[in-house]
């Protein structure tokens, strides 16, 4: 195709896209209608980023009869639905709304105006004539008012004794105020400050205090001008400063107590009698026989003694005689709710006065906490079966195989009456051959896993435990025995034993921290048949998959933090995840005296980090991810254990490559050997960056089934770190000088079937536009034109299959990739 034809085709596509994207449906006939609204903000008061965020909010300030509905189709094509007829009165009303909006942000000198233009599109049929109106709103915000001073006047002279402590609390906590000197004054800032004060007071005993008891006053008057004692020279100086304030306007803020407040609302309460019923029932049962036990400042009803008093007390934050704090009330509910021992929790507060007047002994709040227990035991069981008609000469097996598996699970939610969760999982299975080939029992599998979750930090004091709303002690042990060499007529036997002990907490910043000071994992491959040993010797994937050895360590740490960048916009979110583990860092020093460690112990340190950032709008959004990690060997081993190495490719990584088919570094591409080709590539280090634009395609069933789409790019690779076998090998070893050459880049698109609230089925199609594998990286650092065509995508010739192998991949995944 000639260059002129290409340009012509591009021009036609752009023109068609423009006209298709500007469609209008159900417009008023022979009347001007709203087609577009534009906002123009003058001055330098807002940064580019602030202006962009502000423009998104301005549309909400328009009069309803000036708003337009736009429907997006196939990502690019937009259509205006039912545009309203244009009326200047609606534009004037919108100007007033914009004026008020900017004043609430502190721009009291704002000036708004509008103009409009009409574009006519005449059709042969007059009924199809369009008179499109584009409005232009000009906004001159002027200088914002900034806070000059803040004063708290929360003392009511008629109720001085009751309100004086509120004033003291506000002054003592002033450093945490949202109203700081030179901050831009806004109603939102005032609202946040009033909410902060209400929370402060309710955390200091003022149970009945509410937002309606506070109000704010703002004053723009320069107070020195009102001083009658100023001499002429001082007055001239004050007048000069007052004129300067017009160029940099300031405002004084006063937080005051509502003079009509009810005295009861100003009472400071203490926690009174706390009665907890951990065995509550909605059935009408005579409670006179309940055994009420006093325990550490609370009373516990005991019917069946399902829970120990110490367990209830450990997770309660409401103690008789202490000052009432709303945070403690919320902590008590959240902590009991997170334990999972109760299906229903209800806290009923009851206020009471002690004495005959408001000035007597501090009033009390009694709490009745009723909790309906969940079932203590849960038993699950399921049977699965599979039938394969297979022929696998590569590993010496063939025939018809039938497999039957039984899974059993038993959970105890309240072991030792302390909410300790013990979960047992059993799995047993057999595989047998039927027919003339491999007849009889072929394989057996037996797996047992036991996990113990204690709802406290075992080994730490009660006061330390009280600092965390979520805390757990984790103990786990597992055993797996797979025999695929029954009667010495098969492949191998594989035994896996593992265990760990650790703690997990979630702090006030919602950060999840896990620490394991002891863990072990042992993999033993034995009783290997001669045919399988031959496959291990010739197939790297199998050899690496069955790596055996001992992982033994005392430092495994993980940390995850939501809201990493402290977003102001509610539709922005981010997270950070960090992990570290070691094996042999301490025990490796002992291996010379312990034979089992000397022959089997893996010695390494491994760390990884992942950062995610998402922007989620109503119908579209962006998702970004950066992940990196590395493992370093502490001894003379050649590679990290296969199950601890990093891999790239697949549905959640570099999507233009199959799982484990990328890297390390610029390792040459393997020769294509067939549809079921296995890949075994991995590395000691990984770096990956992903970006994805997500959008809605169609809503099939609202809030139940939505078809979504995505466009994405993936950048990254895996590498090996230097060891005794690869020294000087620039192909597989990470070197900073080759970092750009070794990066892979893919571009793709995908479709997602979102069964809302259940799962999301994802199909992604990706092309390799930069391939670091030799020989591609010898030319232009691996950048290439994939030469995509229908024939290459769907052709069945050897040439087409080779093209797909080198350039294209389809991946199937469940839920989003990151």
């Amino acid at each position: 195709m000639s260059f002129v034809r290409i340009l012509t085709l591009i021009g036609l596509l752009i023109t068609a896209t423009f006209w298709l994207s500007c469609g209008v449906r159900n417009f008023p006939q022979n009347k001007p209608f709203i087609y577009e609204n534009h906002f123009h903000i003058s001055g330098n008061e807002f940064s580019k980023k602030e202006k962009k965020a502000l423009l998104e909010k301005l549309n909400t300030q328009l009069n309803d009869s000036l708003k337009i509905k736009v429907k997006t189709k196939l990502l690019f094509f937009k259509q205006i639905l039912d545009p309203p007829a244009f009326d200047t009165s609606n534009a004037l009303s919108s100007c007033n709304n914009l004026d008020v909006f900017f004043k609430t942000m502190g721009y009291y000198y704002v000036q708004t105006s509008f103009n409009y233009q009409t574009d006519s599109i005449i059709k042969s049929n007059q009924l199809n004539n369009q008179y499109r109106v584009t409005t232009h709103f000009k906004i001159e915000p002027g200088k914002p008012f900034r806070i000059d001073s803040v004063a708290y006047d929360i003392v009511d002279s008629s109720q001085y004794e009751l309100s004086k402590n509120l004033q003291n609390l506000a002054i003592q906590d002033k450093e945490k105020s949202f109203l700081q000197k030179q901050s831009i004054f806004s109603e939102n800032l005032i609202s946040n400050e009033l909410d902060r004060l209400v929370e402060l007071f309710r955390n200091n005993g003022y149970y009945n205090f509410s937002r309606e008891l506070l109000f704010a006053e703002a004053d723009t008057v320069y107070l020195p001008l009102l001083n009658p004692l100023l001499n002429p020279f001082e007055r001239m100086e004050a007048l000069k400063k007052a004129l300067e304030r017009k160029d940099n306007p300031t405002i004084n803020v006063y937080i005051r107590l509502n003079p009509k407040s009810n005295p009861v609302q100003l009472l400071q309460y203490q926690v009174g009698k706390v009665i907890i019923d951990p065995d509550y029932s909605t059935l009408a049962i005579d409670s006179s026989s309940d055994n009420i036990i006093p325990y550490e400042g609370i009373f516990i009803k005991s019917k069946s003694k399902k829970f120990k008093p110490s367990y209830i007390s450990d997770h309660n934050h409401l103690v008789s005689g202490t000052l009432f704090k709303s945070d403690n009330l919320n902590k008590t509910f959240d902590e009991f709710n997170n334990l999972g021992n109760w299906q229903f929790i209800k806290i009923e507060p009851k206020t009471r006065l002690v004495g005959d007047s408001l000035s007597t002994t501090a009033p009390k709040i009694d709490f009745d906490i009723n909790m309906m227990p969940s079932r203590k035991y849960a038993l699950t069981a399921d049977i699965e079966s599979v039938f394969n008609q297979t022929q696998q000469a590569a590993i010496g097996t063939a025939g018809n195989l039938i497999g039957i598996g039984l899974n059993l699970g038993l959970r105890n939610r309240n072991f030792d009456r302390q909410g300790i969760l013990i979960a047992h999982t059993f799995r047993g299975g057999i595989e047998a051959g039927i027919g003339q080939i491999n007849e009889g029992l072929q394989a057996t599998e037996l797996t047992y896993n036991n996990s113990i979750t204690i709802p406290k930090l075992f080994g730490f004091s009660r006061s330390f435990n009280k600092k965390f709303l979520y805390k757990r002690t984790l103990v786990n042990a597992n055993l797996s025995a797979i025999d695929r060499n029954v009667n010495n007529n098969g492949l191998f036997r594989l035994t896996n034993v593992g265990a760990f002990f650790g703690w997990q907490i979630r702090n006030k910043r919602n950060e999840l921290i896990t620490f394991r000071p002891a863990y072990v994992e042992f993999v033993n491959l034995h009783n290997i048949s001669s045919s399988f040993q031959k496959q291990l010797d010739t197939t790297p994937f199998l050899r690496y998959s069955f790596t055996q050895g001992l992982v033994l360590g005392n430092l495994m740490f993980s940390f995850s933090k939501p809201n990493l960048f402290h977003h102001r916009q509610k539709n922005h979110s981010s997270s950070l995840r960090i992990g570290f583990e070691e094996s042999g860092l301490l025990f490796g020093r002992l291996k010379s005296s312990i034979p089992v460690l000397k022959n089997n112990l893996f010695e390494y340190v491994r760390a990884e980090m992942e950062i995610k950032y998402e922007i989620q709008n109503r119908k579209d959004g962006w998702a970004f991810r950066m992940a990196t990690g590395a493992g370093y060997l502490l001894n003379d081993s050649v590679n990290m254990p296969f199950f601890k190495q990093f891999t790239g490719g697949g549905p959640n990584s570099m999507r233009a490559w199959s799982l484990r088919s990328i890297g390390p570094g610029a390792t040459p591409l393997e020769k294509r050997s067939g549809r079921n080709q296995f890949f075994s590539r991995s590395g000691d280090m990984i770096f990956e960056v992903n970006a994805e634009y997500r959008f809605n395609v169609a809503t099939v069933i609202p809030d139940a089934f939505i078809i979504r789409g995505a466009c994405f790019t993936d950048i990254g690779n895996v590498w090996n770190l230097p060891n005794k076998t690869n020294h000087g090998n620039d192909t597989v070893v990470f070197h900073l000088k080759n970092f750009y050459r070794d990066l892979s880049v893919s571009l793709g698109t995908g479709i997602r079937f979102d069964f809302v609230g259940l799962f999301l089925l994802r199909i992604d199609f990706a092309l390799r536009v930069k391939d670091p594998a030799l020989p591609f990286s010898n030319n232009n650092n691996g950048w290439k034109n994939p030469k995509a065509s229908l024939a290459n995508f769907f052709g069945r010739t050897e040439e087409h299959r080779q093209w797909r192998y080198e350039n294209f991949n389809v991946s199937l995944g469940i839920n989003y990739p990151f």
Side-chain angles (χ1 to χ4, degrees):
M1 185 180 292
S2 68
F3 181 71
V4 175
R5 289 183 178 179
I6 292 175
L7 286 180
T8 303
L9 180 60
I10 293 173
L12 290 172
L13 287 173
I14 292 175
T15 303
T17 301
F18 173 78
W19 284 107
L20 285 171
S21 65
C22 298
V24 184
R25 195 176 73 183
N26 298 336
F27 56 87
Q29 294 180 358
N30 296 320
K31 290 182 180 179
F33 60 86
I34 299 298
Y35 183 71
E36 282 184 303
N37 294 305
H38 294 287
F39 301 94
H40 309 278
I41 303 174
S42 61
N44 300 315
E45 296 301 326
F46 301 101
S47 66
K48 189 183 243 184
K49 186 177 180 180
E50 290 172 334
K51 270 189 179 180
K52 185 178 179 181
L54 190 58
L55 288 172
E56 293 177 0
K57 297 179 181 179
L58 295 184
N59 270 310
T60 63
Q61 304 303 315
L62 294 177
N63 186 290
D64 288 342
S65 296
L66 218 62
K67 295 177 182 177
I68 55 176
K69 301 175 184 176
V70 179
K71 185 176 182 180
T72 303
K73 292 184 176 182
L74 301 178
L75 186 60
F76 301 106
F77 308 134
K78 296 182 179 180
Q79 190 174 57
I80 298 175
L81 305 177
D82 307 315
F86 175 69
D87 190 328
T88 54
S89 64
N90 295 327
L92 287 170
S93 173
S94 298
C95 278
N96 292 332
N97 293 343
L98 292 169
D99 191 79
V100 171
F101 175 73
F102 273 86
K103 285 179 178 177
T104 62
M105 295 173 58
Y107 292 86
Y108 286 91
Y109 292 150
V110 63
Q111 293 183 353
T112 57
S113 59
F114 80 95
N115 58 60
Y116 64 93
Q117 63 187 54
T118 304
D119 295 320
S120 302
I121 299 179
I122 307 301
K123 304 286 186 178
S124 57
N125 183 352
Q126 290 188 357
L127 294 178
N128 293 328
N129 290 345
Q130 296 184 23
Y131 303 97
R132 301 177 174 181
V133 174
T134 301
T135 62
H136 296 270
F137 290 92
K138 184 179 180 182
I139 304 165
E140 299 177 23
K143 291 283 185 178
F145 276 74
R146 295 184 180 273
I147 297 173
D148 184 49
S149 65
V150 181
Y152 295 95
D153 184 13
I154 312 180
V155 177
D156 186 347
S157 58
S158 64
Q159 304 180 72
Y160 178 77
E161 291 299 324
L162 292 175
S163 60
K164 65 179 182 179
N165 192 44
L166 296 173
Q167 175 78 3
N168 295 334
L169 288 171
I171 298 299
Q172 291 169 9
D173 208 52
K174 191 174 181 179
E175 290 183 358
K176 299 178 182 178
S177 172
F178 287 93
L179 306 176
Q180 298 296 330
K181 189 177 179 67
Q182 289 303 307
S183 297
I184 295 178
F185 174 83
S186 69
E187 289 189 6
N188 185 54
L189 213 59
I190 294 293
S191 178
N192 290 340
E193 175 64 6
L194 296 182
D195 289 339
R196 184 190 72 85
L197 289 172
V198 171
E199 183 180 0
L200 171 67
F201 298 150
R202 284 180 57 82
N203 275 318
N204 281 275
Y206 293 91
Y207 171 75
N208 286 321
F209 200 93
S210 61
R211 173 73 177 271
E212 292 72 24
L213 299 180
L214 292 176
F215 68 95
E217 288 183 348
D219 189 358
T220 61
V221 175
Y222 186 50
L223 296 180
L225 282 176
L226 303 180
N227 187 353
L229 301 178
L230 294 178
N231 62 46
F233 294 103
E234 291 174 332
R235 187 167 295 281
M236 287 180 62
E237 184 65 24
L239 183 60
K240 179 182 177 182
K241 289 184 177 180
L243 292 173
E244 290 175 353
R245 285 162 59 96
K246 285 192 174 182
D247 295 328
N248 296 286
T250 58
I251 199 165
N252 303 306
V253 181
Y254 303 87
I255 306 296
R256 303 188 191 278
L257 183 68
N258 191 333
K260 298 181 180 180
S261 53
N262 189 323
V264 175
Q265 294 178 291
L266 303 181
L267 292 177
Q268 192 174 31
Y269 287 83
Q270 289 184 352
V271 177
K273 192 174 184 180
V274 179
I275 301 176
I276 302 178
D277 185 356
D279 195 15
Y280 176 77
S281 174
T282 56
L283 299 176
I285 299 176
D286 182 14
S287 61
S288 59
S289 61
D290 290 349
N291 183 18
I292 299 180
I293 303 171
Y295 190 89
E296 296 185 346
I298 61 175
F299 295 87
I300 301 174
K301 286 186 178 181
S302 178
K303 296 185 183 75
S304 56
K305 297 182 179 181
K306 289 183 178 179
F307 302 94
K308 287 184 176 180
S310 59
Y311 172 60
I312 300 298
S313 179
D314 284 347
H315 299 280
N316 169 62
H317 297 268
L318 297 170
V319 180
S320 180
T322 61
L323 196 65
F324 168 77
K325 295 183 178 181
S326 62
D327 280 353
N328 286 344
L329 176 61
N330 295 330
K331 283 180 183 178
T332 298
F333 178 85
D334 291 341
E335 191 154 347
F336 280 131
N337 189 51
N338 289 334
L339 291 173
N341 294 127
W342 294 276
Q343 57 180 310
F344 169 82
I345 299 173
K346 184 179 181 181
I347 301 180
E348 297 182 358
K350 299 174 182 178
T351 60
R352 59 185 168 94
L353 299 180
V354 180
D356 299 327
S357 68
L358 298 178
S359 60
T360 56
T361 307
K364 308 290 186 182
I365 309 177
D366 298 331
F367 291 94
D368 288 335
I369 304 177
N370 299 314
M371 304 187 292
M372 183 185 295
S374 302
R375 290 190 177 185
K376 181 177 180 179
Y377 294 101
L379 177 65
T380 60
D382 63 83
I383 298 176
E384 58 186 43
S385 63
V386 63
F387 177 80
N388 286 324
Q389 188 174 20
T390 180
Q391 182 174 356
Q392 297 176 314
I395 57 174
T397 64
N400 299 324
L401 298 175
I402 183 170
I404 298 176
L406 173 64
N407 297 300
L408 295 175
L410 176 63
R411 292 164 61 92
N412 181 347
R413 292 191 179 94
N414 189 27
F415 176 75
D416 196 30
R417 299 190 296 140
Q418 297 188 75
I420 298 173
L421 172 64
I422 298 183
H424 305 271
T425 305
F426 304 88
R427 173 178 170 80
I430 61 172
E431 187 179 88
I434 56 177
Q436 298 179 352
I437 305 176
N438 288 341
E439 185 177 4
L441 187 64
Q442 299 295 311
T444 62
E445 176 185 355
L446 181 63
T447 301
Y448 169 70
N449 183 80
N450 172 252
S451 65
I452 303 174
T453 304
I454 306 172
K456 66 178 180 179
L457 300 177
F458 187 79
F460 291 88
S461 67
R462 175 182 289 188
S463 59
F464 185 77
N465 271 271
K466 286 280 189 179
K467 294 180 180 180
F468 305 101
L469 181 63
Y470 176 90
K471 59 267 186 179
R472 298 291 186 270
T473 298
L474 308 173
V475 183
N476 183 277
N478 61 81
L479 170 66
S480 174
I482 300 174
D483 186 354
R484 299 192 66 85
N485 195 14
V486 179
N487 300 322
N488 296 317
N489 186 28
L491 303 173
F492 59 85
R493 290 177 182 169
L494 182 67
T495 303
N496 189 310
V497 180
F500 69 78
F501 169 84
W503 302 283
Q504 188 175 74
I505 62 171
R506 190 182 298 278
N507 59 25
K508 293 180 180 179
R509 295 183 294 274
N510 205 26
E511 298 165 345
L512 186 66
I513 302 170
T514 305
F515 177 69
R516 296 180 184 176
Y519 50 93
V520 60
E521 183 176 0
F522 181 65
V523 179
N524 182 28
L525 182 68
H526 57 101
N527 201 14
I528 304 172
S529 67
S530 57
S531 61
F532 188 68
Q533 183 63 55
K534 188 180 298 183
Q535 294 304 314
L536 290 176
D537 296 337
T538 58
T539 309
F541 173 75
L542 288 176
R543 187 166 63 251
Y544 292 147
S545 297
F546 288 93
T547 302
Q548 58 179 336
L550 175 66
V551 172
L552 183 62
N554 53 13
L555 180 56
M556 181 180 289
F557 170 83
S558 68
F559 170 83
S560 62
K561 176 181 177 63
N563 197 24
L564 176 62
F565 300 111
H566 304 287
H567 311 282
R568 293 183 180 179
Q569 301 96 327
K570 293 182 180 179
N571 64 329
H572 288 230
S573 63
S574 59
S575 64
L576 167 69
R577 182 181 60 83
I578 297 173
F580 175 85
E581 67 174 284
E582 59 81 22
S583 173
L585 195 62
L586 173 63
F587 293 104
R589 315 289 75 81
L590 307 174
K591 66 180 183 180
S592 58
S593 56
I594 304 177
V596 68
L597 298 182
K598 182 178 181 180
N599 299 326
N600 297 285
L601 182 64
F602 290 118
E603 297 180 64
Y604 65 87
V605 292
R606 184 180 188 271
E608 58 184 326
M609 179 181 70
E610 180 183 58
I611 297 176
K612 297 180 182 179
Y613 190 102
E614 290 188 37
I615 304 172
Q616 185 60 53
N617 301 316
R618 193 166 63 91
K619 291 187 177 181
D620 64 353
W622 287 89
F624 305 92
R625 171 180 172 266
M626 189 275 287
T628 185
Y632 181 75
L633 295 165
L634 301 175
N635 57 11
D636 295 330
S637 299
V638 175
N639 291 109
M640 291 271 292
F642 177 75
F643 51 89
K644 294 295 182 181
Q645 284 193 310
F646 299 95
T647 60
N652 300 319
S653 179
M654 305 296 302
R655 282 167 279 185
W657 282 262
S658 301
L659 183 63
R660 297 191 183 94
S661 68
I662 189 172
T667 301
L669 185 69
E670 297 174 11
K671 184 178 179 181
R672 189 175 69 87
S673 60
R675 179 176 296 177
N676 297 321
Q677 185 169 356
F678 287 104
F679 298 97
S680 58
R681 300 187 176 201
S682 57
D684 305 326
M685 173 183 171
I686 189 171
F687 176 81
E688 192 171 310
V689 176
N690 316 87
E692 185 169 281
Y693 174 67
R694 299 167 179 170
F695 53 91
N696 290 357
V697 176
T699 300
V700 182
I701 303 175
D703 299 323
F705 179 45
I706 302 175
I707 300 176
R708 309 183 192 274
C711 297
F712 59 84
T713 182
D714 303 315
I715 304 170
N717 204 345
V718 297
W719 294 264
N720 281 333
L721 293 178
N723 58 50
K724 63 183 181 182
T725 64
N726 60 28
H727 184 70
N729 187 347
D730 285 353
T731 302
V732 301
V733 177
F734 176 81
H735 291 289
L736 190 60
K737 65 178 181 179
N738 296 328
F739 180 68
Y740 175 71
R741 181 203 68 182
D742 291 347
L743 283 178
S744 60
V745 180
S746 66
L747 293 175
T749 186
I751 187 167
R752 288 89 195 273
F753 303 98
D754 188 359
F755 299 87
V756 180
L758 299 175
F759 65 93
L760 180 143
L761 180 64
R762 170 170 51 92
I763 306 174
D764 288 329
F765 310 88
L767 288 167
R768 306 175 191 178
V769 296
K770 184 178 184 301
D771 194 336
L774 293 170
F776 304 112
S777 58
N778 287 332
N779 298 317
N780 201 23
N781 285 310
W783 288 101
K784 63 178 182 177
N785 177 6
K787 298 180 181 179
S789 66
L790 292 177
N792 282 331
F793 283 126
F794 302 105
R796 307 187 65 174
T797 66
E798 187 63 26
E799 180 182 355
H800 295 141
R801 292 191 177 98
Q802 184 66 27
W803 178 89
R804 289 192 289 271
Y805 176 69
E806 295 179 356
N807 296 278
F808 179 65
N809 185 54
V810 179
S811 56
L812 178 67
I814 302 296
N815 296 327
Y816 286 111
F818 49 86

